């Protein structure tokens, strides 16, 4: 059994993607169902095969511009879902992703208290 080294954040946000390899011409859209620093799981009606390289734009909630993942490899695929591993991502994009994940984790761990004086 393969253990994950990075926790995944459960989210639902739009994503568009296209193949960057000559092996396949794919253009698709879907919904990110979880993400981490190292990868993304996507629901989509457009089938993809493991090994294909994609460029992805993830439209994170409450963010003015999409997160660009210029190079990711499809690691697994099953009916209606697939997972990609990030191969290349710019420093600014990596910081944006890290900030998004930290904000979500902090909000989940420290919800406002309902105490009254």
């Amino acid at each position: 059994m393969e253990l994950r080294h990075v926790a995944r954040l459960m989210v639902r946000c739009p994503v568009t993607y296209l193949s960057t390899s000559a092996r396949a011409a794919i253009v698709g859209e879907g919904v990110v169902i979880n993400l981490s620093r190292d990868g993304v799981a996507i629901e989509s009606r457009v089938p993809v095969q493991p090994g294909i390289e994609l460029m992805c734009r993830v439209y994170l909630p409450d963010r003015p511009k999409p997160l660009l993942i210029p190079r990711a490899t499809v690691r697994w695929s099953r009916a209606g879902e697939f997972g990609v591993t990030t191969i290349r991502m710019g420093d600014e994009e990596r910081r944006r992703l890290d900030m998004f994940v930290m904000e979500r984790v902090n909000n989940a761990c420290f919800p406002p208290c309902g105490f009254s004086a």
Side-chain angles (χ1 to χ4, degrees), residues 11-17 28-34 40-45 58 80-82:
V11 296
R12 291 201 62 86
C13 53
V15 61
T16 58
Y17 56 90
E29 59 184 32
V31 176
V32 170
I33 55 176
N34 69 53
V40 179
I42 298 169
E43 285 181 349
S44 179
R45 292 182 180 165
V58 179
E81 294 182 357
F82 64 94

Side-chain angles (χ1 to χ4, degrees), residues 11-80:
V11 296
R12 291 201 62 86
C13 53
V15 61
T16 58
Y17 56 90
L18 60 98
S19 61
T20 59
S21 61
R23 283 181 29 183
I26 298 171
V27 176
E29 59 184 32
V31 176
V32 170
I33 55 176
N34 69 53
L35 60 84
S36 75
R37 189 165 215 275
D38 298 331
V40 179
I42 298 169
E43 285 181 349
S44 179
R45 292 182 180 165
V46 178
V48 296
Q49 298 298 316
I52 291 175
E53 290 188 1
L54 301 174
M55 179 184 76
C56 303
R57 290 186 194 279
V58 179
Y59 296 85
L60 299 172
D62 305 320
R63 299 302 194 265
K65 65 179 188 174
L67 180 74
L68 176 63
I69 303 171
R71 193 167 165 214
T73 299
V74 177
R75 293 293 178 206
W76 58 268
S77 179
R78 61 179 171 255

